[in-house]
Amino acid sequence: MVKNIFLAFGLTLPLIGCVTTTSPVASTENYIVDSKTYQATGKSERIKTIVLHYTVSDNDRSIKTLTTGKVSAHYLILDNDDDKIYNLVPENERAWHAGDGGFAGRTILNDTSIGIEIVNTGIAPEYKDALEDGKLAYHPYEHYVAFDELQIKKVAELVQDITARYGISPKNIIGHSDMAPSRKIDPGAKFPWQQLYKQYGIGAWYEGADKLAFMDTDAFAAATIPEIKQQFRDYGYQINNSDEWDKASRDVIYAFQLHFRPRNPTGEIDSETYAILKALNKKYADTNDFY
Ligand SMILES: [Zn+2]
């Protein structure tokens, strides 16, 4: 199923991601490029991360914005009934989708990620004005517009395919909000991360038993802000060193909740959020790849 995704959606297999054994540099009359005699073992794929987005606009406007403007993505999944996934930028080129931010020790994620845009309104129109002093508002679950099931199916098979080809670590399959929590809330609370993990084995998710074991209100009450922030950092989030839950720090909590506790995203730390974070760190300890 995974191998056949491009065929299944009527696309030809992309050439990128294939193993190249010879250098693209051509020999000249002054030198010969020898790609066979010596080979290095210390190497890895350039693509480390998949960043998922929603477009906040309809099919036509999303196509226009992503093909004619200064923003783009490798793949675009429309909100319709057809069997296509549109490949707008070759995987071996940079798409301009991530912007400022970082995750798991990497910044400038356009260099090392594949970006997937999904057509979805995001926040329902009647709630769009709910900004707090021009900064990101912490919309509840109900304000987000649900994704179409066919879109999620396409996302799942596309992500499975990309993950297999580049060996992407589960926790490096992230939302735009995970890498840019003070600027972005996409793909939002209705993006079904848990379903993707359970049904398709995609991305990271915690063990329920670990969460319950960490649901110790005394331990939560005793945890200091720097300790809690360190747990966010250990998982991969960029979070400041301030000794308080300032707006930027709460933006990280909100982004985390959108991903891992989407039914109740508040931007406030609580014992359940902290337990989920610790459960994730237990399961995915030492999976960062900094080479
Ligand atoms: Zn985005």
Side-chain angles (χ1 to χ4, degrees):
M1 197 64 179
V2 177
K3 268 188 288 182
N4 290 331
I5 175 169
F6 289 98
L7 303 173
F9 290 121
L11 299 179
T12 49
L13 260 168
L15 293 171
I16 48 271
C18 300
V19 179
T20 309
T21 52
T22 54
S23 169
V25 175
S27 299
T28 71
E29 47 182 58
N30 293 315
Y31 61 77
I32 293 165
V33 178
D34 180 348
S35 306
K36 298 206 167 71
T37 307
Y38 306 111
Q39 294 280 300
T41 55
K43 61 178 181 175
S44 56
E45 297 286 353
R46 289 183 194 274
I47 299 300
K48 302 288 185 192
T49 307
I50 297 174
V51 183
L52 297 165
H53 305 260
Y54 60 48
T55 61
V56 195
S57 51
D58 62 19
N59 288 338
D60 290 344
R61 284 176 55 194
S62 300
I63 292 167
K64 188 160 187 242
T65 304
L66 292 168
T67 57
T68 62
K70 294 222 164 185
V71 292
S72 62
H74 294 93
Y75 293 99
L76 171 63
I77 296 175
L78 299 180
D79 181 12
N80 62 18
D81 292 334
D82 78 16
D83 59 356
K84 288 185 180 165
I85 291 174
Y86 293 92
N87 179 202
L88 310 180
V89 176
E91 287 184 6
N92 61 346
E93 293 181 38
R94 296 167 85 246
W96 298 347
H97 64 96
D100 285 343
F103 194 81
R106 288 195 171 79
T107 55
I108 318 181
L109 285 183
N110 282 344
D111 288 353
T112 55
S113 70
I114 296 292
I116 301 172
E117 286 277 4
I118 309 158
V119 171
N120 173 275
T121 309
I123 301 297
E126 60 267 39
Y127 303 117
K128 282 233 161 148
D129 295 327
L131 284 176
E132 286 172 3
D133 305 329
K135 292 182 177 166
L136 288 185
Y138 301 142
H139 288 277
Y141 177 81
E142 294 73 25
H143 288 194
Y144 289 86
V145 174
F147 290 84
D148 183 76
E149 253 323 293
L150 179 60
Q151 288 181 303
I152 296 305
K153 234 174 153 167
K154 289 180 186 174
V155 170
E157 295 191 6
L158 177 63
V159 170
Q160 278 180 329
D161 181 273
I162 297 167
T163 301
R165 281 186 287 117
Y166 297 109
I168 291 170
S169 136
K171 69 193 233 183
N172 284 351
I173 299 169
I174 59 173
H176 203 184
S177 50
D178 291 311
M179 58 145 296
S182 289
R183 295 191 301 115
K184 298 291 174 182
I185 56 173
D186 64 311
K190 290 209 173 143
F191 187 77
W193 291 105
Q194 185 176 15
Q195 182 197 343
L196 289 184
Y197 175 81
K198 293 215 155 135
Q199 206 173 323
Y200 298 91
I202 287 171
W205 200 259
Y206 57 90
E207 298 301 320
D210 289 340
K211 180 187 114 174
L212 284 178
F214 285 122
M215 283 281 283
D216 176 342
T217 46
D218 289 342
F220 173 65
T224 65
I225 292 175
E227 281 168 1
I228 298 171
K229 285 191 172 183
Q230 189 55 45
Q231 292 275 344
F232 278 107
R233 234 169 264 128
D234 289 347
Y235 190 70
Y237 287 88
Q238 289 189 327
I239 191 164
N240 66 32
N241 283 315
S242 79
D243 208 0
E244 56 180 332
W245 293 115
D246 50 28
K247 178 71 167 77
S249 305
R250 283 185 288 123
D251 291 344
V252 175
I253 297 171
Y254 183 70
F256 178 83
Q257 291 166 334
L258 285 180
H259 193 140
F260 295 108
R261 198 189 65 180
R263 295 266 170 186
N264 187 18
T266 59
E268 303 293 329
I269 192 70
D270 54 50
S271 60
E272 185 185 40
T273 302
Y274 190 44
I276 292 170
L277 178 57
K278 290 209 278 190
L280 285 164
N281 278 331
K282 180 185 169 196
K283 184 170 173 184
Y284 296 103
D286 304 322
T287 57
N288 288 329
D289 160 21
F290 290 117
Y291 289 104

